[in-house]
Amino acid sequence: MKFAIISDIHGNLPALQAVLADIARQGVDQTLNLGDILSGPLQPLETADLLMAHDFPTIRGNHERQLLALLDPPAGVIDPATSDGYAASQISAAQAAWLKALPVSLELDSDIWLYHGTPRSDLEYWLETAVPGFAQGNGPGVRAATPAEVAERMGSATHPVMLCGHTHVPRLVQCGGVLVVNPGSVGLPAFDDDHPYPHVVENGAPHARYALLEKTRHGWQVTFCAVPYDHLAQAQVAASRRFPDWAHALATGFMPRLAA
């Protein structure tokens, strides 16, 4: 079996379309979706329609949970000036029901398990670690996780392949008998966050990312793919909806604070 792994689409329909077109040329047997599907100021409704039509094995990310919380009475007024709020204000009741029905994790077979963050939290970074120092100008405030950190976050899970998203960074780590793979983000190449410390994540290019996973006689082969698409048009959409940080990230692959 050959799998395509997608994650963190964030409502970026043209990026998703470009990735799916590339996947169609790869001889893939199944595409797997690791969540954070719609949140953002782009095309959440159209993205949901496309994914519902394909019916890929899909799990929820933290943004699905947060978006659904906004739609759950008595949540109050939805603020479309936030990423989750914009998506929540756009999607249909049928699309919200689809999100609500998604599992938080998924065992595909005896070899592969799907998570968004880690086995214990959809908000936890698995292959990266946020550290102090960004506010003082000491780097991006995030680094690659150590082998000990990767193992501790794994807990008792033992599947040969564990797939995760959330950090938007394409990476794989072999941890004992487990291969942990993050395919990167289809729709958002850079972002910032304040938890547990202020930091930025930047891939340095605006391409849409995904990964190919295939079992060979020597083990699991992983190929990271970076697909070009009309990212400048999407940056203009974000700018027109008053999301300047999104616009900069989509146009460049960097956050504006660190742009030279």
Side-chain angles (χ1 to χ4, degrees):
M1 288 282 285
K2 185 175 185 179
F3 301 95
I5 317 302
I6 61 176
S7 189
D8 298 276
I9 300 163
H10 284 282
N12 190 335
L13 181 67
L16 175 61
Q17 290 170 327
V19 161
L20 294 182
D22 198 68
I23 289 171
R25 295 189 285 268
Q26 304 293 343
V28 165
D29 297 295
Q30 194 167 44
T31 297
L32 311 175
N33 181 1
L34 306 182
D36 277 10
I37 302 165
L38 306 180
S39 179
L42 301 173
Q43 297 89 20
L45 186 150
E46 296 86 352
T47 300
D49 278 344
L50 179 59
L51 290 169
M52 290 170 71
H54 279 285
D55 196 27
F56 301 132
T58 299
I59 61 172
R60 292 192 209 180
N62 60 293
H63 280 286
E64 277 70 62
R65 175 174 51 78
Q66 293 159 197
L67 187 159
L68 288 169
L70 295 177
L71 296 173
D72 185 25
V77 177
I78 295 172
D79 181 4
T82 66
S83 296
D84 293 326
Y86 183 84
S89 72
Q90 298 295 306
I91 65 171
S92 68
Q95 292 167 341
W98 171 66
L99 294 179
K100 191 172 184 178
L102 296 176
V104 296
S105 65
L106 181 65
E107 184 182 25
L108 188 67
D109 54 33
S110 60
D111 283 338
I112 301 173
W113 200 295
L114 282 61
Y115 299 96
H116 181 70
T118 69
R120 63 191 182 190
S121 173
D122 62 14
L123 285 174
E124 185 174 38
Y125 292 1
W126 199 340
L127 303 184
E128 284 73 38
T129 298
V131 295
F134 174 69
Q136 292 75 41
N138 299 324
V142 67
R143 58 163 172 78
T146 67
E149 289 170 336
V150 174
E152 190 271 333
R153 295 164 191 172
M154 186 181 302
S156 60
T158 58
H159 281 65
V161 178
M162 296 191 179
L163 305 176
C164 66
H166 191 47
T167 65
H168 300 203
V169 179
R171 181 168 289 153
L172 75 162
V173 172
Q174 187 74 47
C175 186
V178 177
L179 183 67
V180 185
V181 181
N182 187 324
S185 172
V186 170
L188 186 60
F191 67 91
D192 60 10
D193 200 350
D194 292 326
H195 180 78
Y197 309 102
H199 62 277
V200 294
V201 173
E202 300 172 313
N203 280 301
H207 295 63
R209 313 294 180 117
Y210 78 99
L212 298 168
L213 175 71
E214 185 173 17
K215 192 172 187 179
T216 73
R217 64 189 182 94
H218 296 297
W220 289 94
Q221 177 173 307
V222 179
T223 305
F224 293 112
C225 304
V227 182
Y229 73 104
D230 192 355
H231 60 281
L232 293 178
Q234 287 294 79
Q236 291 174 355
V237 171
S240 72
R241 292 173 182 163
R242 298 185 180 180
F243 283 76
D245 286 0
W246 276 72
H248 197 282
L250 290 164
T252 67
F254 292 93
M255 291 305 291
R257 285 182 288 186
L258 290 188

